[in-house]
Amino acid sequence: MNIILIGPPGVGKGTQAKNIIKRYQVPHISTGEILRENIKKQTKLGIHAKTFMDMGKLVPDYDVLGMVSRRLADDDCFHGFVFDGFPRTIPQADGLSKLLSNTDKRLDRVIVLKASDEIIIKRLSSRRSCNNCGRIYNLLFNSPKNDNKCDVCGEELTQREDDKPETIKKRLDIYRLQTEPLINYYEKLDLTVFINGESDINNISEEIFQILDEID
Ligand code: ADP
Ligand code: ADP
Ligand code: ZN
């Protein structure tokens, strides 16, 4: 099962990806998560990427494609993957297409999640995450049981650097300009399915499962 999740920041890609992988046992590849791991470990890639991420800009295609190419070579990607936040530009989509055809793979579906800017801004400004296990929470819509602690591992939850109001606006602009054209790109390949990202988390997962259950 080879899937891409596309949608603006905060629409729920990460949340849905985590539900998808529980049901279908394929790896979740979030380029944002891999980049944040690199920042934490202070790798060369992380130090370079941080300057772009802090400003809400995209990390250069060359760096992202290198990272994805290495990740796709891992054994756990043999039976599929769920990409979340990748590709984000047309050159990245072209690069992915080459990587897949080199290994005789093809995409099964591109799931497009949509929500209004108003909802997105509300979700992003109240997003919190666990740096230890990666679980995503929301102070308004999906809060942890104990005040600001992860339900799974008890770690203190944190707010992402780029979830500040000024950066959120920049990221939304960049999404419209650089990432939204991918919807048309994948529509032409007849791969897109559209899902309303404004309903509740479990309803959205159910809709996605119905679509994915049809893939052979
Ligand atoms: P969100 O889930 O809010 O959309 P991500 O975790 O996917 O955010 O990405 C956070 C940041 O990491 C982006 O704003 C961008 O700077 C960088 N990033 C992640 N994925 C990519 C990508 N495919 N291409 C370029 N930059 C990326
Ligand atoms: P993305 O990966 O697209 O940036 P996330 O999955 O991180 O988005 O979700 C952004 C924030 O919104 C998180 O705080 C998450 O808990 C919350 N969230 C995700 N999906 C929904 C939903 N359907 N309804 C309400 N809140 C949601
Ligand atoms: Zn945790």
Side-chain angles (χ1 to χ4, degrees):
M1 169 179 295
N2 303 335
I3 303 295
I4 292 175
L5 296 176
I6 294 188
V11 75
K13 302 178 300 295
T15 302
Q16 294 304 326
K18 288 181 200 298
N19 286 349
I20 295 170
I21 63 161
K22 258 190 242 156
R23 182 174 166 110
Y24 300 97
Q25 282 96 40
V26 282
H28 170 199
I29 309 182
S30 157
T31 43
E33 270 179 22
I34 303 175
L35 288 166
R36 283 187 291 278
E37 274 300 304
N38 274 275
I39 292 177
K40 211 158 83 182
K41 290 185 190 143
Q42 300 242 322
T43 66
K44 211 170 141 197
L45 171 65
I47 292 163
H48 171 65
K50 190 174 189 302
T51 55
F52 297 92
M53 291 167 77
D54 282 351
M55 289 188 291
K57 290 187 179 172
L58 294 184
V59 174
D61 292 332
Y62 174 84
D63 299 299
V64 174
L65 278 166
M67 202 170 89
V68 167
S69 151
R70 290 189 291 277
R71 182 66 185 89
L72 277 177
D74 290 341
D75 287 346
D76 65 334
C77 294
F78 190 72
H79 294 294
F81 49 76
V82 178
F83 274 120
D84 149 20
F86 172 87
R88 257 177 156 96
T89 63
I90 302 275
Q92 288 182 20
D94 286 336
L96 174 64
S97 152
K98 287 203 189 88
L99 284 173
L100 293 179
S101 64
N102 287 345
T103 48
D104 261 341
K105 289 187 178 129
R106 61 179 170 81
L107 291 171
D108 293 306
R109 292 283 187 285
V110 174
I111 297 173
V112 183
L113 290 163
K114 295 208 159 179
S116 70
D117 283 7
E118 199 189 337
I119 287 193
I120 279 165
I121 291 164
K122 221 177 192 169
R123 284 187 188 169
L124 286 179
S125 35
S126 49
R127 168 161 65 185
R128 295 292 183 276
S129 35
C130 173
N131 278 339
N132 186 47
C133 73
R135 183 138 172 201
I136 306 160
Y137 296 87
N138 193 287
L139 298 183
L140 300 174
F141 310 112
N142 182 22
S143 56
K145 292 197 185 81
N146 291 319
D147 202 27
N148 220 39
K149 295 263 192 316
C150 178
D151 293 351
V152 184
C153 63
E155 185 91 0
E156 192 82 18
L157 303 180
T158 55
Q159 179 172 32
R160 274 170 44 179
E161 266 312 307
D162 56 350
D163 279 347
K164 308 276 151 68
E166 327 76 69
T167 325
I168 292 175
K169 165 121 197 357
K170 180 87 99 353
R171 286 159 64 209
L172 273 170
D173 288 345
I174 289 185
Y175 173 78
R176 304 272 178 253
L177 207 67
Q178 295 192 262
T179 308
E180 217 163 44
L182 287 180
I183 299 175
N184 194 20
Y185 177 104
Y186 285 120
E187 256 192 301
K188 285 191 189 139
L189 299 172
D190 208 15
L191 287 170
T192 46
V193 209
F194 294 86
I195 305 253
N196 174 11
E198 295 188 357
S199 63
D200 76 55
I201 294 177
N202 290 331
N203 282 351
I204 298 174
S205 297
E206 283 307 320
E207 268 190 66
I208 294 179
F209 295 164
Q210 276 186 19
I211 292 158
L212 299 185
D213 281 347
E214 283 169 17
I215 299 173
D216 39 51

